[in-house]
Structures are given as C-alpha cells and as structure tokens.
Amino acid sequence: LPETRTDAAMSELVPEPRPKPAVPMKPVSINSNLLGYIGIDTIIEQMRKKTMKTGFDFNIMVVGQSGLGKSTLVNTLFKSQVSRKASSWNREEKIPKTVEIKAIGHVIEEGGVKMKLTVIDTPGFGDQINNENCWEPIEKYINEQYEKFLKEEVNIARKKRIPDTRVHCCLYFISPTGHSLRPLDLEFMKHLSKVVNIIPVIAKADTMTLEEKSEFKQRVRKELEVNGIEFYPQKEFDEDLEDKTENDKIRQESMPFAVVGSDKEYQVNGKRVLGRKTPWGIIEVENLNHCEFALLRDFVIRTHLQDLKEVTHNIHYETYRAKRLNDNGGLPPGEGLLGTVLPPVPATPCPTAE
C-alpha cells in the first residue's frame, strides 16, 4: 500500500505534457504594385514643399590676413554684393577695409527656394605689432552664437523655429607665399577647428605658377596633418563608404582650394565672365583651367551645404552644449528652474576608489 500511494503521489506531481506551440509562418513579401500605389515616395516631396515655404539659414564666416580678398570672394561665391549691406555700393568702387566683425544678412532666392544668408566678415589679422591671441575675438563670437541658441532652446516657452545664427562654415584664407604656413596661421586654425567647420582656401592663386600651386597645396596639407589640425570634411564624420570615397578625394586632391575672386565682368569669346584683367589676358574665375573657384562653390553650396549645417548642430554645438550644461550642474545657463539667477555650480569631483 505505501508503495502504491507513493506512485500515485508522484504521478500527480508530473505535469501533463503541453502541446508544442505552433511555429509562426515566415512573413510573405507582398509586392505593393499588386495591391495598388501606397504613396510613401511622396514624403520627399512633402519635405521639399515645407522647406520651400520656410526657407533655411546658412551662415558663413571669412577669416584671414588683411588684403587677401575675403569680402570679394564671398561676393563672387554668391554672385551678389553680400559682403556689404549698403545698396549704394557698386562694383566699380573699391571694397572698404573690414575693421570689425560684421554679420550681414541677405535673403537670396533661386528657383523658388529662399535662403537667409549671413556673411560674417572679420577684420584681417597679422598686421599688428602684437598678434598674440588674435583669434580670441573670433572664437568668442562663434561661442556667443552657440550660447544664444542654447538659451533659446532651454526656454520653457521656446519659439517654434529658433533663429539660427551659429556659424556653419568658416573659410580660412591662406596667403599665397608658396613656401609654408605661418606659425600664426597654424595657431589660429588649431583653435578655430575645435569650434567650427574650417575650409582652408589659398587666396589670389593667380600669383603662383601651376607647379608652385600644386607643391604649395601638398605642403599645406602635410603641415595641417602634422600639427593635428582637422579641416572639413573631418574623417571621423564620414557616414558610409560612399561618403568616405567622395570626401577622401576632396581631402587628398582639392584641399586647400586655390581660388581667385573678382566682382568684375569682362567679355571673353562673346560671353560675360567674372574675372581679373592682367596685361597678358583675362583670368576667368569660373574656369577650372585658371583656378579652383568652381570646385569651392560646388563643394560649399551644391554638395555639402546641408552636411555643414548638420555637423555644426550635431558635433560643434552639442560639444559646447554638453560642456555648458555640465559646468552649470545640468541646469540651463544662468537660470534655475523658476527663472531665478543662480551662481555657477562647480563640478563635483568623482570619488576615488580606495
């Protein structure tokens, strides 16, 4: 009897076998053409219409030594007098010297697309007796625009569309010495490359022969690499193999762009062209046999403009934002949760492991 009871108890404890779950069928790919048109591909058109209504911002800064034609090149780039606000100024007059940092805004429209272009013209440097820390006013201006955007972003009742005054692109003008970069250029770019997208440009390239230009470009690339100065497009931001292939070609062949700028038009073979008149002929600005201006224009405007804006927002601005909020204990800059002004909060040191 005891053995019988034990066997009965054990049989009660053994769970009944459960039926095996049904194996789900593999999803069958359905050809949408068989069921009719859905319309997913219209998203691109929707985005295009919205962008055309609102327009977009692009802010470009020009930096470099005095007398390299910074203002002239920007005018040439956008085929209008964007470096000067006064409409009374005409092409025949000499462009006045820039003596302070000026942000000049224009609305440019082409093919129904509106772009609010802001040109930040900076005073030439390097012609003072003491050039120590001469990059500080420019670096300060760039950081001030990040700060302005950050304060708008952390507001409780913030604007639907925050005005974007952040510098998306900085054209750095290199003097066409044909030898090497000056220590001041290296120091200047070293500081600016940490806060903004730098595109190096050799100005007044018509002062060099083709051989001199090629050798100087190679020398500049080598010096930038040796000194750890990263210019746009930065290698670590290449998103895929296609981007890497395209950008490697630009980094190894085109950079720095050797350009010539001019506001003046001349008649060449029955066509009106922008150029510089010399005793031996006309140097055509948009002729690739004469200079690389067309490559620079295509790079900045036609292929990489949106990427310049994205790298500014996702990399440079985010770096500034993280540092600023960390320095302030995670609170919005200068304010508490209820709008009361707070003193700077010192960073708390991490406890050391004993």
Side-chain angles (χ1 to χ4, degrees):
L1 283 172
E3 288 179 4
T4 308
R5 285 175 186 173
T6 305
D7 292 342
M10 288 181 65
S11 63
E12 287 177 3
L13 291 174
V14 176
E16 294 182 6
R18 294 181 182 179
K20 292 182 180 180
V23 179
M25 294 178 64
K26 291 182 180 180
V28 180
S29 60
I30 301 173
N31 189 344
S32 60
N33 293 330
L34 298 176
L35 303 178
Y37 177 66
I38 298 173
I40 296 172
D41 58 350
T42 62
I43 293 172
I44 303 298
E45 181 62 20
Q46 293 170 43
M47 293 169 66
R48 189 187 72 84
K49 284 182 178 178
K50 195 168 185 180
T51 305
M52 287 186 68
K53 283 181 183 177
T54 57
F56 60 96
D57 305 304
F58 186 64
N59 309 316
I60 184 169
M61 174 182 270
V62 287
V63 177
Q65 188 182 346
S66 298
L68 292 181
K70 299 186 293 293
S71 305
T72 303
L73 187 81
V74 176
N75 289 341
T76 315
L77 199 61
F78 294 97
K79 294 191 174 180
S80 56
Q81 312 307 325
V82 293
S83 69
R84 288 291 173 272
K85 194 73 176 176
S87 57
S88 59
W89 183 79
N90 61 64
R91 291 187 177 188
E92 301 305 317
E93 295 178 23
K94 187 179 178 182
I95 297 178
K97 184 179 178 180
T98 306
V99 293
E100 59 183 357
I101 298 176
K102 285 184 181 179
I104 303 159
H106 297 267
V107 176
I108 299 177
E109 187 171 350
E110 184 181 51
V113 179
K114 289 182 181 177
M115 179 174 76
K116 186 188 174 187
L117 172 70
T118 302
V119 176
I120 301 102
D121 208 351
T122 61
F125 62 84
D127 46 6
Q128 292 87 7
I129 295 173
N130 182 8
N131 294 302
E132 189 178 359
N133 299 336
C134 59
W135 55 81
E136 285 184 352
I138 295 171
E139 189 177 5
K140 182 185 174 187
Y141 177 89
I142 294 168
N143 285 328
E144 281 174 353
Q145 308 319 304
Y146 290 146
E147 181 72 13
K148 197 184 294 184
F149 194 90
L150 177 59
K151 283 185 176 178
E152 288 286 349
E153 199 176 47
V154 297
N155 279 342
I156 295 174
R158 61 182 179 182
K159 298 173 183 175
K160 185 179 178 182
R161 190 163 181 250
I162 300 173
D164 191 0
T165 60
R166 296 170 298 180
V167 181
H168 301 126
C169 170
C170 174
L171 295 181
Y172 189 92
F173 285 68
I174 298 167
S175 181
T177 60
H179 301 293
S180 59
L181 289 170
R182 300 180 306 163
L184 184 58
D185 286 322
L186 292 169
E187 200 63 33
F188 215 110
M189 282 192 271
K190 197 175 287 184
H191 281 82
L192 287 191
S193 63
K194 296 173 184 174
V195 294
V196 72
N197 295 318
I198 280 192
I199 298 177
V201 170
I202 299 172
K204 297 187 175 181
D206 53 324
T207 59
M208 295 186 290
T209 66
L210 294 176
E211 292 78 13
E212 287 172 344
K213 183 175 72 174
S214 178
E215 289 175 9
F216 188 46
K217 283 171 64 117
Q218 290 179 18
R219 198 172 296 122
V220 169
R221 283 197 295 267
K222 186 69 177 174
E223 287 188 53
L224 292 175
E225 185 182 349
V226 168
N227 287 274
I229 297 169
E230 290 193 347
F231 52 83
Y232 179 86
Q234 298 90 334
K235 290 181 182 178
E236 64 266 34
F237 303 151
D238 293 339
E239 293 184 357
D240 51 36
L241 186 60
E242 185 184 353
D243 279 356
K244 186 180 184 305
T245 305
E246 182 186 351
N247 291 336
D248 276 346
K249 188 177 179 183
I250 293 167
R251 285 186 285 257
Q252 294 166 12
E253 296 178 16
S254 301
M255 290 287 182
F257 295 97
V259 299
V260 176
S262 176
D263 294 295
K264 296 181 180 178
E265 288 185 341
Y266 295 96
Q267 194 85 15
V268 177
N269 298 327
K271 292 181 180 179
R272 301 288 294 176
V273 298
L274 290 171
R276 282 168 55 87
K277 191 174 183 179
T278 66
W280 51 88
I282 305 290
I283 299 167
E284 298 174 41
V285 168
E286 297 182 272
N287 188 334
L288 282 174
N289 295 321
H290 295 187
C291 77
E292 296 169 351
F293 170 81
L295 293 177
L296 173 65
R297 179 200 56 207
D298 291 353
F299 177 67
V300 172
I301 301 173
R302 301 182 183 180
T303 61
H304 285 71
L305 189 147
Q306 183 59 31
D307 189 63
L308 281 163
K309 295 183 67 175
E310 288 177 5
V311 171
T312 299
H313 181 77
N314 298 330
I315 307 298
H316 297 302
Y317 170 68
E318 280 301 316
T319 302
Y320 178 87
R321 178 180 172 276
K323 182 179 183 302
R324 190 74 177 83
L325 294 179
N326 185 56
D327 291 346
N328 206 27
L331 294 171
E335 293 188 352
L337 295 177
L338 300 176
T340 54
V341 177
L342 296 176
V345 180
T348 306
C350 297
T352 54
E354 294 181 359

